[in-house]
Amino acid sequence: MTASSSPKTTTKRVKKLEAFGGHDPLFLAAILVVGLILAYLLHMPAAGENPKPGDLGTIAGVRIEDKRQVVIPFHKEMLKDIYVQPSLETIDDLATVNIFTKTDKFTIYLPPDQFIPGAPPVDPAKYVMQLSGVVTLLSNNVDIAARPMNVAITADMFKQLPLDAKDSVTLTTRNNLVITLPYAGKRSNAMNISEAMPPSVAFALLWILELGLYVGLTWYITRHPIIATVALGLGLVMRYAFVVIYQLVFGIMDGTPFLANIAMAESRDWAYQLLNLAVISGLFALPLRNFLKTGFNYKINPEIDDSNTVKSSSVSTPVAANKFSFAPKQAQVADIKIRKAPKPAASAEQGVLNPPEDFIRSEPVKGVHGTVNIPRKVIIASVPEAENILRTDKPIPVQLAFVVPQLKRATVWLTWQQIFDTGNTDPAHGNPNMEDPDLYDRWIRIPAKYYALQVPEQLYAKGQVNHPAWMLQPHVPQEEQYDLEQEHV
Amino acid sequence: MATLNYATREINCKLVYYGPGLCGKTTNLQFIHQRLPGGKRGDLVSLATPGERTLYFDFLPIEMAKINGFKVKFSLYTVPGQVYYNATRKLVLRGVDGIVFVADSQWNLMQENLDSLQNLEGNLSEYSLKLDDVPYVLQYNKRDLLDIAPVAYMDYLLNPRGVPGFESVATTGIGIFETLNALCRYVIRGLVHRVESGTF
């Protein structure tokens, strides 16, 4: 099998593959990015999602369900979006309280004595604080307007609350939804996890950490199918280990018993679990794909175009060398034709100049006689060794017949031999051609400055100039008046 | 290509200053901007490095007299002269109506001038254009320096079509408006010709 891409592209690709352990970095990156984004989006509940019956949605990473005791994290972020406004309306023995959030407005019911000055059993402000926790729960989960009585809190319930003795209170709604509220008046000064970091950020960080571990694992995995299978098993173990960690962390944040959380963990986020498996499968599909393309444990010799002597680094290093210890010792080599890098042209600093790529060597013009004198320093600039050969500072005569064909180039390129042709040798310099025959084919660059003014004027004859059509268009009447400078000065 | 707006009775043309790096293209625009009164020109937009190298392009809109009731507006652009910004040069040339090729008169920059002119032809060919199709003038800049090539030689080297060439010193403004006026007239001639021939 031979790669169909160009040699230059192939060499680059081989280097890339080497850098990413034989995996296509674009494919790898695409899977990771898409996985990250989708996992995050799928895991976060969409705004306004309708919960299933019995499922009131999620808050702070905790799934709220009827008949289940839950703890609502009560932190400063919740208070930002919520304020409570007592209403004058009464229904039976309950006062209504309008609650506004950024997006919602709804009403819950409170015993009126909570809002009568002078007669509250407890400080109303505390109840407001407590209630904001309830509001947050409900505004994130259920359509309050559809069933307001579900969250009515009766006076009896409040009177039973031993607020001074507990850090949290438990309420039971009429449909048996049990809600535990932290008590604001007895809060500890120590900052808990929820205050330090919103749960969504904590979740995202853990997710990134987990993915980083997946990437690190695959980094060391060769394209051996058995090794890949083992790694897949490791990946799954890791996945479940992280599920436990998630539940542990969020259990601490919520105050929910760990066992209660872990018992329900796996059955809920099916989309998230599915995506995790997809990501893992994608990562391990890479070695599988390479295996299918190249065959098991094969090795071929790369076809090397050895047209020049520069050794390419990509040849000496096998592609995706097996770094994992279980891997077969035999190196695997990509089925790619590797062309060695072209020999770089020597730079002027190295003492060797070459004409540009588009330069075409021209023959001397017949019938043109005479010379132009080139300063010695021009020769030395191109051939530093000439300093020892050209013994005097006298300019070097160069035959015009060699210069004229290149007049349109702004720079004349001649070989040492063309300049120091036997018939053109200046006695002052002896015969440089005889000094060092190795210099015969060395190129000498002569800028226009050193010959242009010495070339007879007639040799610059342009011949017939054909003006472009746009120059021949008729004048516009009064166009001489169109003078930007005169108009404005 | 120039646009003709009958509603606002405006003609908009795009002129590009082209040439090798540090030949004085931006200085041309700066002088024009400085000389024209505020009502007849817009702001000079220039994105340059601290070393005064144009990074993207310079832009200066100016306004000319009315022709047959139409206000003629020219958008002057420069290109970055440095070799590796060719993609930007190509982009700036899109829809060009006229070109000022600014050549550096210093002897040691003759090759750069020639290379830049060839680069211009190459980039125009990307839009299926040739220098025979687009009005352009030459400006031999930096004539106040000592080590400069004669105009005759630069003409021989850079001007095989015999288009108008102007000596200039962009820092003092010599030859700046002569160059611009000449190009504007050629562009207007082309416009009028196309309108009259019904090809606009």
Side-chain angles (χ1 to χ4, degrees):
Chain A
M1 224 167 29
T2 303
S4 58
S5 54
S6 69
K8 199 179 280 183
T9 313
T10 303
T11 306
K12 277 185 184 173
R13 187 170 171 73
V14 167
K15 285 180 179 170
K16 264 188 186 175
L17 285 170
E18 286 174 357
F20 286 88
H23 302 311
D24 188 331
L26 287 178
F27 188 47
L28 191 65
I31 285 179
L32 292 181
V33 170
V34 171
L36 265 175
I37 293 170
L38 286 180
Y40 188 80
L41 292 178
L42 282 174
H43 190 71
M44 295 298 135
E49 87 178 311
N50 291 320
K52 294 173 185 173
D55 182 357
L56 300 183
T58 304
I59 180 166
V62 178
R63 188 70 63 177
I64 311 300
E65 293 180 70
D66 280 357
K67 300 179 181 177
R68 179 175 172 234
Q69 181 173 315
V70 295
V71 172
I72 311 305
F74 185 82
H75 54 79
K76 295 170 188 171
E77 290 300 314
M78 292 179 176
L79 289 175
K80 278 184 184 174
D81 298 340
I82 296 169
Y83 64 96
V84 179
Q85 177 189 4
S87 165
L88 296 177
E89 297 175 39
T90 59
I91 300 174
D92 300 328
D93 60 340
L94 301 176
T96 59
V97 177
N98 292 317
I99 305 204
F100 300 85
T101 70
K102 278 180 180 173
T103 53
D104 299 315
K105 173 196 171 185
F106 47 84
T107 304
I108 64 169
Y109 302 93
L110 284 175
D113 60 347
Q114 302 303 314
F115 298 95
I116 299 171
V122 290
D123 183 2
K126 288 180 181 172
Y127 285 116
V128 171
M129 297 281 280
Q130 306 281 350
L131 286 168
S132 64
V134 177
V135 167
T136 304
L137 164 69
L138 297 171
S139 65
N140 276 277
N141 292 284
V142 294
D143 184 355
I144 299 300
R147 42 178 186 170
M149 294 310 290
N150 283 351
V151 293
I153 301 168
T154 64
D156 289 342
M157 290 167 61
F158 275 102
K159 285 173 184 171
Q160 293 167 6
L161 300 179
L163 291 176
D164 293 333
K166 297 175 74 175
D167 286 343
S168 62
V169 293
T170 301
L171 306 177
T172 306
T173 63
R174 288 179 183 175
N175 67 342
N176 293 325
L177 171 65
V178 180
I179 303 170
T180 300
L181 298 172
Y183 173 42
K186 292 282 285 182
R187 289 174 63 80
S188 164
N189 287 332
M191 183 180 281
N192 61 25
I193 296 176
S194 301
E195 287 175 324
M197 184 185 293
S200 59
V201 174
F203 180 83
L205 289 176
L206 276 172
W207 173 223
I208 289 169
L209 176 66
E210 182 186 351
L211 266 181
L213 282 174
Y214 284 143
V215 173
L217 180 66
T218 52
W219 187 265
Y220 287 101
I221 290 174
T222 67
R223 289 171 292 172
H224 196 297
I226 296 173
I227 302 302
T229 308
V230 169
L232 180 62
L234 288 175
L236 289 173
V237 169
M238 192 188 298
R239 170 87 282 276
Y240 282 92
F242 264 90
V243 168
V244 172
I245 293 171
Y246 285 141
Q247 299 306 324
L248 188 63
V249 169
F250 289 114
I252 291 169
M253 292 169 79
D254 295 348
T256 309
F258 171 68
L259 288 177
N261 249 341
I262 196 69
M264 307 183 68
E266 284 308 287
S267 62
R268 294 195 297 265
D269 292 336
W270 60 268
Y272 174 67
Q273 299 300 337
L274 196 65
L275 191 74
N276 266 319
L277 285 175
V279 171
I280 295 169
S281 303
L283 290 172
F284 291 107
L286 287 169
L288 182 62
R289 189 187 64 156
N290 288 334
F291 165 71
L292 292 174
K293 278 176 71 178
T294 57
F296 176 71
N297 202 26
Y298 84 107
K299 180 180 180 180
I300 61 165
N301 289 324
E303 298 172 39
I304 299 169
D305 180 2
D306 199 9
S307 55
N308 55 59
T309 56
V310 177
K311 188 165 184 179
S312 164
S313 61
S314 60
V315 174
S316 59
T317 309
V319 176
N322 295 321
K323 296 175 182 175
F324 197 78
S325 59
F326 297 158
K329 299 299 179 190
Q330 199 174 18
Q332 289 180 327
V333 182
D335 186 17
I336 297 170
K337 181 177 181 181
I338 302 171
R339 187 183 291 272
K340 286 185 175 178
K343 185 178 180 180
S347 63
E349 290 73 21
Q350 291 170 312
V352 178
L353 272 183
N354 283 308
E357 286 177 5
D358 61 343
F359 178 78
I360 299 170
R361 189 168 176 164
S362 54
E363 294 300 315
V365 180
K366 289 178 182 173
V368 173
H369 304 287
T371 58
V372 291
N373 291 319
I374 308 301
R376 177 176 174 266
K377 66 178 181 184
V378 174
I379 309 289
I380 292 172
S382 298
V383 184
E385 301 95 305
E387 193 151 22
N388 301 322
I389 299 171
L390 305 175
R391 298 184 189 96
T392 72
D393 283 337
K394 279 193 71 176
I396 316 298
V398 175
Q399 287 189 9
L400 261 177
F402 287 108
V403 174
V404 170
Q406 300 187 47
L407 281 180
K408 275 287 181 187
R409 291 190 57 89
T411 304
V412 167
W413 290 89
L414 296 175
T415 61
W416 178 277
Q417 189 181 19
Q418 285 173 323
I419 292 176
F420 296 107
D421 191 40
T422 317
N424 189 36
T425 308
D426 189 294
H429 294 297
N431 187 351
N433 263 336
M434 299 302 292
E435 297 274 352
D436 187 356
D438 290 342
L439 296 177
Y440 272 29
D441 293 328
R442 290 283 290 277
W443 285 100
I444 291 155
R445 177 179 179 273
I446 310 173
K449 177 182 181 180
Y450 299 107
Y451 64 83
L453 297 180
Q454 300 177 54
V455 176
E457 200 175 330
Q458 63 269 20
L459 293 178
Y460 284 123
K462 286 183 182 176
Q464 176 124 12
V465 175
N466 292 320
H467 293 297
W470 53 262
M471 278 187 75
L472 306 175
Q473 285 167 345
H475 287 217
V476 174
Q478 292 100 38
E479 76 169 20
E480 297 306 320
Q481 295 173 7
Y482 306 146
D483 187 327
L484 283 159
E485 189 174 29
Q486 294 308 316
E487 277 180 33
H488 305 307
V489 171
Chain B
M1 281 297 149
T3 55
L4 186 61
N5 189 331
Y6 283 98
T8 58
R9 301 192 72 76
E10 279 181 6
I11 301 171
N12 288 289
C13 303
K14 180 178 185 177
L15 308 183
V16 175
Y17 281 70
Y18 209 97
L22 293 172
C23 68
K25 300 176 289 291
T26 301
T27 313
N28 263 270
L29 258 61
Q30 285 169 342
F31 185 82
I32 294 165
H33 178 259
Q34 180 190 331
R35 275 302 275 278
L36 297 184
K40 292 292 179 183
R41 52 109 175 127
D43 290 333
L44 173 61
V45 179
S46 188
L47 184 62
T49 66
E52 297 186 349
R53 307 302 303 265
T54 300
L55 266 181
Y56 197 40
F57 59 77
D58 306 313
F59 170 69
L60 175 65
I62 61 171
E63 213 173 88
M64 211 182 190
K66 284 187 176 179
I67 301 173
N68 294 336
F70 280 82
K71 193 187 292 178
V72 183
K73 288 185 171 179
F74 291 101
S75 299
L76 310 186
Y77 289 81
T78 69
V79 295
Q82 295 173 80
V83 175
Y84 42 84
Y85 290 140
N86 194 45
T88 308
R89 283 195 291 276
K90 204 179 293 178
L91 196 67
V92 174
L93 279 178
R94 180 179 290 172
V96 66
D97 294 300
I99 297 165
V100 175
F101 185 83
V102 184
D104 195 315
S105 296
Q106 296 177 91
W107 269 118
N108 59 350
L109 290 167
M110 286 303 115
Q111 190 63 54
E112 280 78 358
N113 288 331
L114 200 57
D115 291 345
S116 179
L117 190 62
Q118 286 166 355
N119 174 259
L120 169 62
E121 291 189 270
N123 284 339
L124 282 175
S125 70
E126 300 273 332
Y127 298 112
S128 303
L129 289 173
K130 292 181 291 185
L131 282 176
D132 290 324
D133 306 324
V134 183
Y136 78 100
V137 295
L138 290 167
Q139 185 184 77
Y140 305 126
N141 196 22
K142 304 191 184 179
R143 300 308 298 176
D144 56 333
L145 300 184
L146 292 176
D147 195 25
I148 56 174
V151 170
Y153 176 70
M154 294 184 74
D155 238 2
Y156 170 78
L157 202 62
L158 304 170
N159 195 6
R161 295 174 181 80
V163 302
F166 300 89
E167 295 183 57
S168 71
V169 182
T171 48
T172 59
I174 294 171
I176 299 292
F177 278 102
E178 287 85 342
T179 309
L180 182 58
N181 283 331
L183 181 64
C184 288
R185 285 169 195 157
Y186 280 117
V187 170
I188 289 170
R189 277 186 212 171
L191 275 176
V192 171
H193 175 73
R194 282 162 57 201
V195 170
E196 287 175 349
S197 62
T199 57
F200 194 82

